[in-house]
Structures are given as C-alpha cells and as structure tokens.
Amino acid sequence: MRGIVAALVILAGLGPATADPALDALVAAYPDHLAGYEKNDLVFRDGTRLPIDDGVREKSFDRLLDDPDIEDQFAIPYPLGIAGVKPPARNEDPGRIRNQALFVKMYGDCRKGEVKGRMKAVAWLPGRGGGTVMVTTVNGVADQLAKVSRDLEKLPQDMTRYLVPSSGTYNCRVIAGTKRLSVHAYGAAIDLNAKFGDYWQWAKARDGIFAWKNRIPLEIVEVFERHGFIWGGKWNHYDSFHFEYRPELIALAKRGWPK
Ligand SMILES: [Zn+2]
C-alpha cells in the first residue's frame, strides 16, 4: 500500500499540469486572452504559445528587465496595501519586469497602429474638473479605471490636486533610456499630476544610490489597488505618480506569494 501511494505521488509530480499559483493568477487576470498553461507554454485562446521559462538561470537585474520570460514577471513580490509602506530595497521593483511579447499580444503594438482603435474616453473625476482620459478597453482596463475614478471622487477635496490634471495615459513610447515599451504604450497606465510626482531618474544619485521619495497620499494608492492597478511608488526605481493595470500581481499578493 505504501509503495502504491509513493508511486502515485511520483506520478502526480510528473504530471503536466502541476498547479502554479503565479500562472493561475495570470490566466485568471486576463481571461479574454489566456486559455491556460501546459508544460512550459502559456497558451492563448487563439492557440498562440509563449514559453514560461526560457531556461536562463541567474539573470542579472538588467536582464530581468530587458529580457524576462513569463515566470520572471513574478520574481519580485508586490507588497499589497498601504500599511507599512516603506522605501523598497535595492532593485526591489515589483511589476517592473514585463514580458513584452505577452503585453504586445494582448494590447497590440502601438508602433503598428494597433492600440489607438481599442481605446475609449473615460471620465476622470468629472465632478472635480478632470475631463476625460483615453485608455484601452482591452482586459477591461477602461471599466476598471472608471471604478477608480468613482472611488477617488469619494476622497476629501484636498486630494484633488494630486489627481487633476492627469499627466497622461496613452503614449506610444519606450521607457526613457531603454528599448522597452512603456505600459503607457498599451494604454493601460495613468500618470497623476506630475507636479506632485517623484521619479527616480529625476533624483540626484550619489554613487548610483538615490533616495526614495513620495508625496502621493496612500489613500489614493489603496483605491487603485482595489481595482487591479499597481503603484510605481512601490519600486526602488520609483515612479510615484504612475499606476498600471496588473491584476495578476494584486491577485497573487492577496493569495500570498509562493516561496
Ligand atoms: Zn507613467
């Protein structure tokens, strides 16, 4: 009997569909595009496949940013919530690792004109003079941002200056100093009022070290996270007025990051 149990355990371990919480979160976050995963492939609804693990071990931090595979996106846990927010450790940039093939496949390639036609105008704090912002409808981003706006309007009036005007949503560009497309190029990110924003590239670095800085009230962060957006203020390479739609990271943080 004990031998049979042991054999079953071994067989289960060899099975193709060993549950992976990070991949489960990813597939659940983007159901319009992702069908599941099988062996080393992330499988799209149209049959396209992307390798989950590219087999490269011990990637440098720069390589993680420049050439991540699907599983690398989960290398750094996103610390959900606003209790105990503190300056991140060196290179602790949860969410900054993005597999460009996955994002371009879902949202389109703006350099080929594939993103603009999928966007729509979302009222941005209309009760406080925010006008509208253009974001993608892909993955329900526009609907989620509308919920963010609705909840932000419930915050005290003195928060308005951080939120209005928005400093931008869609922008077909690469991240400054890199060849990587910004999440703004997919229409899935929003910058709050840059007047109150802090960005690591603007900080005076001393021996490559720059001090973390933030002036954005954490109540605002809480609203965005509630609707699937992560905050650039939780990055060592901080971008404190930047939010982007990454529901897979929020979901995995809620569940508890796998060790
Ligand atoms: Zn931004």
Side-chain angles (χ1 to χ4, degrees):
M1 182 65 191
R2 195 174 291 165
I4 293 168
V5 171
L8 286 173
V9 168
I10 290 165
L11 282 173
L14 291 173
T18 310
D20 181 315
L23 297 175
D24 287 343
L26 187 67
V27 171
Y30 304 114
D32 292 346
H33 291 96
L34 301 178
Y37 53 96
E38 189 179 42
K39 292 184 179 150
N40 192 38
D41 290 342
L42 181 67
V43 184
F44 288 73
R45 294 207 174 274
D46 68 1
T48 305
R49 289 167 179 252
L50 278 178
I52 291 164
D53 177 5
D54 60 16
V56 180
R57 299 281 159 248
E58 306 288 324
K59 282 184 192 176
S60 67
F61 180 67
D62 285 343
R63 181 142 186 209
L64 276 174
L65 293 178
D66 286 335
D67 186 23
D69 61 27
I70 295 294
E71 69 175 3
D72 289 335
Q73 298 186 129
F74 299 96
I76 305 169
Y78 183 79
L80 189 63
I82 61 170
V85 166
K86 58 181 191 302
R90 187 159 171 78
N91 292 343
E92 184 183 352
D93 288 355
R96 242 177 121 230
I97 300 169
R98 311 176 192 92
N99 179 282
Q100 190 154 303
L102 169 65
F103 281 78
V104 166
K105 172 80 183 149
M106 294 196 294
Y107 293 105
D109 189 334
C110 65
R111 298 163 299 189
K112 298 177 184 167
E114 296 170 348
V115 174
K116 267 193 165 171
R118 304 177 193 183
M119 296 199 297
K120 80 172 191 186
V122 171
W124 183 244
L125 288 94
R128 301 191 189 185
T132 59
V133 293
M134 295 296 292
V135 289
T136 186
T137 56
V138 174
N139 291 326
V141 173
D143 293 340
Q144 293 306 107
L145 191 67
K147 291 179 194 169
V148 168
S149 172
R150 190 195 59 206
D151 284 0
L152 289 174
E153 285 199 315
K154 296 173 190 161
L155 295 179
Q157 285 292 340
D158 62 1
M159 299 266 177
T160 307
R161 64 184 189 274
Y162 301 102
L163 304 163
V164 175
S166 157
S167 289
T169 50
Y170 173 71
N171 191 346
C172 187
R173 63 169 171 84
V174 293
I175 298 165
T178 78
K179 290 176 183 160
R180 307 191 305 271
L181 284 170
S182 157
V183 180
H184 291 283
Y186 309 119
I190 184 167
D191 290 337
L192 304 184
N193 186 355
K195 195 176 160 192
F196 299 98
D198 294 290
Y199 181 47
W200 71 279
Q201 293 269 31
W202 299 339
K204 212 172 170 66
R206 212 178 253 215
D207 302 326
I209 308 285
F210 40 88
W212 183 81
K213 202 177 164 193
N214 171 50
R215 289 171 286 162
I216 301 296
L218 297 179
E219 294 92 324
I220 291 171
V221 174
E222 191 167 48
V223 169
F224 273 97
E225 288 185 346
R226 188 183 306 150
H227 299 295
F229 291 79
I230 63 163
W231 179 39
K234 289 184 176 177
W235 301 337
N236 171 232
H237 296 87
Y238 57 91
D239 188 349
S240 76
F241 58 124
H242 171 94
F243 291 87
E244 64 183 63
Y245 189 64
R246 302 294 296 283
E248 73 279 22
L249 301 181
I250 303 276
L252 194 58
K254 276 185 188 157
R255 176 210 169 272
W257 223 268
K259 296 279 182 272

